[in-house]
Amino acid sequence: MSVSALPGNQTPPPSGAAPPRRKRRELNRPAAFAALAVVFVLFMAASSAPSPLYVVYQQQWNFSATTLTTVFAVYVLGMIAALLVLGALSDHLGRRPVLLSAIALEAVSMALFLTADSVALLLVARLVQGVATGAAMTALGAALADLNPSHAPHRAGVVTGAAPTFGLGLGALGCGVLVEYGPHPTRLVYVLLLAGLVLAAAVVAVLPETSLRRPGAARSLQPRLRVAPHLRADLLRLVPILVASWALGGLYLSLGPSVAVGLFGLSSHVVGGLVVTLLTVPACLTAMALRGWPASRTLTLGAGLLFAGTVVALTGVEEDSLLTAALGTLIAGVGFGASSLASFGTLARMAAPAERGELFSVVFVISYLSFSLPAVAAGIAATHTGLHETSVAYAATVAFLAALALLAQWLHSRRTPDRTACPQT
């Protein structure tokens, strides 16, 4: 064949030379951003899926509220360990390898859930799941920030603030429906999640890599919490609202279905899922609706509604009024969403690319310590003093923290007027 006969008049390769390597197919940046958002939701849905099942496991294996919240907290223990050790790894190895490893580990946890026949195996499954989720969350947050579209530079903050709450609600409600109406109530949800993880791995494998390899990966595995000096003041200001909102979320995801059964006599597993959804879905919708608001106003609104909603829900518990408790949960969910939007959006916007992995590690450690430790304390208290008294004391503490966050935001706004807008799409 002559040279001119080759397509495009290309020069033939030298005799014996290896054929040129084909470029690996990758998703474009908008598609990759959307895919990462879906993967984020999948991880969070998987993390909340066991919540409606806790009551089922408790009935099958006859364990106490203390054991129930321990199972819940073991997940957070694994997550925090992963955040401390693996939080900055994607800054060195790249986002894609870390995400693929996290998905594989999450799949292992789903297999453990499928075969769980005792509390011990349930604890192992939750621990593995926590490690996988912790490894994924910082890489997902950093990759979303890397892939921000140029016409909407703060969209990653919206997704990072909304995806956790939407995923938590979706997982809890979806599992509740499957447990109530589907076959094999303690198995089906994990089969579906496992299939979703297989699809997620296939998608992540064709994502563009947004973080170049750089030295120091082994050194980054040393457990540490570090925040760049110029970010510390803003992070410290956000601590009260992070603690208040995530502590409330921990109560709903650990003991919420038990409260529905024990205090209001609602035995439907769908209701157990709705308890979580009533908090998390309004949070997600709020994060989307308020994305153009100034950060200072959004934080103030979030703290105020978190306080008001918790007080209303507490009133419902005290008066044995399901409607009042549900209304309070909805109001608190709006506050949760507003605070998450402003908190994660502000920090995602301010951090440089090389700082994002470490920063998200610190933020998630604060959030999930608040998510787990108070819930474990509540489980111990419920075992010894009763579910009603524990719920009242817990809600009162969250209301106090929300009031403290409101005060901190008011003092900050007096010193430094905030002209920074929240993330916009």
Side-chain angles (χ1 to χ4, degrees):
M1 179 184 293
S2 66
V3 173
S4 60
L6 290 172
N9 291 332
Q10 297 175 4
T11 303
S15 178
R21 294 179 60 184
R22 297 180 62 182
K23 185 178 180 181
R24 190 176 67 88
R25 295 184 63 181
E26 294 181 346
L27 295 178
N28 59 41
R29 291 176 70 89
F33 185 92
L36 284 170
V38 173
V39 173
F40 207 147
V41 170
L42 175 63
F43 266 93
M44 300 313 299
S47 73
S48 67
S51 290
L53 286 170
Y54 288 150
V55 176
V56 179
Y57 293 135
Q58 194 173 24
Q59 292 170 348
Q60 288 182 350
W61 301 330
N62 193 30
F63 54 78
S64 67
T66 301
T67 303
L68 188 155
T69 51
T70 300
V71 172
F72 169 77
V74 162
Y75 159 80
V76 182
L77 178 65
M79 176 184 287
I80 291 174
L83 291 170
L84 290 172
V85 176
L86 306 175
L89 191 61
S90 72
D91 293 336
H92 298 273
L93 296 183
R95 315 299 188 203
R96 192 171 56 238
V98 174
L99 284 175
L100 286 172
S101 300
I103 290 171
L105 198 57
E106 183 82 1
V108 170
S109 75
M110 294 299 105
L112 290 171
F113 278 120
L114 278 169
T115 57
D117 57 2
S118 66
V119 173
L121 197 53
L122 193 61
L123 286 167
V124 173
R126 283 297 270 172
L127 181 64
V128 173
Q129 186 182 37
V131 174
T133 307
M137 286 184 73
T138 53
L140 284 166
L144 285 166
D146 296 340
L147 289 168
N148 260 330
S150 58
H151 63 277
H154 306 309
R155 187 173 292 178
V158 176
V159 175
T160 309
T165 51
F166 179 75
L168 291 173
L170 180 64
L173 181 59
C175 181
V177 172
L178 290 174
V179 172
E180 187 70 21
Y181 301 112
H184 310 293
T186 60
R187 300 287 187 269
L188 180 58
V189 65
Y190 301 121
V191 172
L192 296 177
L193 287 170
L194 190 57
L197 289 167
V198 172
L199 292 176
V203 171
V204 169
V206 294
L207 290 178
E209 182 54 72
T210 59
S211 179
L212 298 177
R213 285 178 173 266
R214 60 189 180 94
R219 188 167 58 253
S220 75
L221 298 178
Q222 298 175 359
R224 63 176 179 174
L225 289 174
R226 180 183 178 276
V227 178
H230 68 279
L231 298 174
R232 291 173 186 170
D234 288 284
L235 177 59
L236 185 62
R237 174 170 58 91
L238 297 173
V239 166
I241 195 66
L242 288 171
V243 173
S245 58
W246 285 96
L248 185 65
L251 174 66
Y252 276 80
L253 264 79
S254 60
L255 292 178
S258 297
V259 169
V261 173
L263 298 186
F264 295 105
L266 303 172
S267 58
S268 170
H269 297 294
V270 176
V271 173
L274 278 173
V275 169
V276 178
T277 305
L278 279 174
L279 181 77
T280 56
V281 169
C284 174
L285 296 176
T286 301
M288 300 299 294
L290 302 185
R291 60 188 181 272
W293 279 36
S296 177
R297 187 193 307 171
T298 307
L299 281 171
T300 301
L301 177 70
L305 290 180
L306 198 64
F307 172 81
T310 304
V311 171
V312 172
L314 178 58
T315 302
V317 171
E318 282 288 85
E319 297 181 352
D320 195 25
S321 171
L322 179 62
L323 182 60
T324 303
L327 176 62
T329 301
L330 285 169
I331 296 171
V334 175
F336 194 174
S339 61
S340 294
L341 169 68
S343 301
F344 286 103
T346 298
L347 295 172
R349 180 175 62 249
M350 295 174 59
E355 301 167 340
R356 286 172 184 151
E358 288 184 339
L359 176 63
F360 280 111
S361 294
V362 174
V363 174
F364 285 131
V365 165
I366 294 171
S367 299
Y368 281 93
L369 279 176
S370 306
F371 197 55
S372 60
L373 294 182
V376 173
I380 296 172
T383 301
H384 294 90
T385 66
L387 194 57
H388 179 273
E389 292 78 5
T390 300
S391 300
V392 170
Y394 198 113
T397 303
V398 170
F400 170 77
L401 289 170
L404 186 64
L406 193 60
L407 176 63
Q409 180 59 26
W410 179 74
L411 291 174
H412 173 77
S413 64
R414 285 176 60 86
R415 290 195 304 267
T416 311
D418 191 352
R419 301 181 178 85
T420 304
C422 281
Q424 299 181 28
T425 56

